[in-house]
Amino acid sequence: MHTTLDSANDVVTGIRFPEGNRWHGGRLWYSDMHTGEVFSIDPASDAGPRLEATVAGQSSGLGWLSDGRLVVSAMESRTVVAVRPDGTTEVFADLSGIETSLLNDLVVDEVTGRTYIGAFGYDLYGGEELRPGPLYVIDQDGSARLAAEGLVFPNSANVLPGTRTLVVSETWGGRLTAFDIGADGSLAGRRMWAALPEGVTPDGSTVDAEGAIWVCSVDTGEFLRVVEGGEVTDRVDAPGRCAIDCALGGDDGRTLYLATADSYDPATTARTHAGRISAVRVAVPGTTR
């Protein structure tokens, strides 16, 4: 499949910077990163988005702990917050004592309930020179420890279905990097999972039932389905847009939700509110829940 965003149907419009796309409980969940708000929506309903939580500063990755609580990456406070049933939040993990840069996306390992989260590694918005960043693992009690370091802007991550393999996007490294997940949550066996085409800057991602990864290229405006080794099998072009994140969902797992914006500069998105989430149909379903 090779198509463009023009063929997609809009699901959500008028937002700033849609991040953390997840399909959960029959709904599409997402962060509007530049407002700190978290929403969910039933795309089959006319009810529109429902505000689920708000964090101070910017919000990013979303996941669900073993006890069912939603957790959110609160980037600026360098915490992961858990959302109570009434929508208020409490700190689940505080990384501010071990990390000075902004936190990024996260994934919860459904097998163990542990959370993996990356950090920028440097002050992107302040124009600081690029430095590699870390990846942390958070145990179910909220304690955090270093899992890997030296990643070039660690971003989204996926546990490949039926495996104990974690694959992480290195945005400015232009690659997907794999690790073996140990029984204690530690990561070992670091290796290149896929070198991406020149210029591709992998941001958000989602994994399908065949273990291929749909990855978003924020700078080139592309959504690519990549298999281990780097072959690109499918593509959705979003010319003139930042391709930010994606999620597979819908009743049969074959709807790919595509999050885009006109810029990743918060000052620009505050003015334009041009972010949106669109949907296309794909051949291989995701592993929905």
Side-chain angles (χ1 to χ4, degrees), residues 127-151:
E128 189 176 10
E129 184 176 351
L130 172 67
R131 290 198 307 272
L135 186 68
Y136 295 98
V137 58
I138 303 170
D139 290 313
Q140 291 199 58
D141 63 0
S143 59
R145 53 196 158 93
L146 184 67
E149 54 188 338
L151 297 160

Side-chain angles (χ1 to χ4, degrees), residues 199-273:
V200 169
T201 49
D203 194 334
S205 62
T206 190
V207 64
D208 67 25
E210 294 182 353
I213 294 176
W214 278 96
V215 65
C216 314
S217 177
V218 64
D219 280 349
T220 61
E222 303 168 274
F223 298 84
L224 309 175
R225 182 180 184 266
V226 182
V227 298
E228 186 174 6
E231 179 187 359
V232 176
T233 66
D234 299 85
R235 181 190 307 263
V236 181
D237 293 325
R241 306 281 294 173
C242 297
I244 305 163
D245 208 346
C246 57
L248 284 162
D251 291 341
D252 61 0
R254 291 182 54 237
T255 301
L256 180 66
Y257 295 97
L258 312 166
T260 63
D262 58 341
S263 172
Y264 47 75
D265 171 49
T268 300
T269 66
R271 183 177 69 255
T272 61
H273 285 262

Side-chain angles (χ1 to χ4, degrees), residues 19-38:
E19 261 281 13
N21 289 199
R22 308 285 187 267
W23 183 264
H24 179 81
R27 299 176 69 85
L28 177 68
W29 297 67
Y30 61 93
S31 292
D32 194 348
M33 190 178 99
H34 291 168
T35 68
E37 296 170 310
V38 177

Side-chain angles (χ1 to χ4, degrees), residues 4 10 48 54 78 93 101 116 119 131 149 167 177 228 258 260-261 270:
T4 71
D10 285 343
T54 302
R78 303 187 299 284
S101 67
Y116 293 89
R131 290 198 307 272
E149 54 188 338
V167 179
T177 298
E228 186 174 6
L258 312 166
T260 63

Side-chain angles (χ1 to χ4, degrees), residues 86-141:
D86 65 357
T88 59
T89 61
E90 59 186 347
V91 174
F92 167 64
D94 186 349
L95 286 78
S96 62
I98 57 176
E99 180 55 47
T100 59
S101 67
L102 297 184
L103 296 184
N104 208 346
D105 208 346
L106 64 76
V107 65
V108 177
D109 180 356
E110 294 182 20
V111 173
T112 67
R114 294 187 177 97
T115 302
Y116 293 89
I117 187 168
F120 284 23
Y122 71 109
D123 186 358
L124 170 66
Y125 297 127
E128 189 176 10
E129 184 176 351
L130 172 67
R131 290 198 307 272
L135 186 68
Y136 295 98
V137 58
I138 303 170
D139 290 313
Q140 291 199 58
D141 63 0

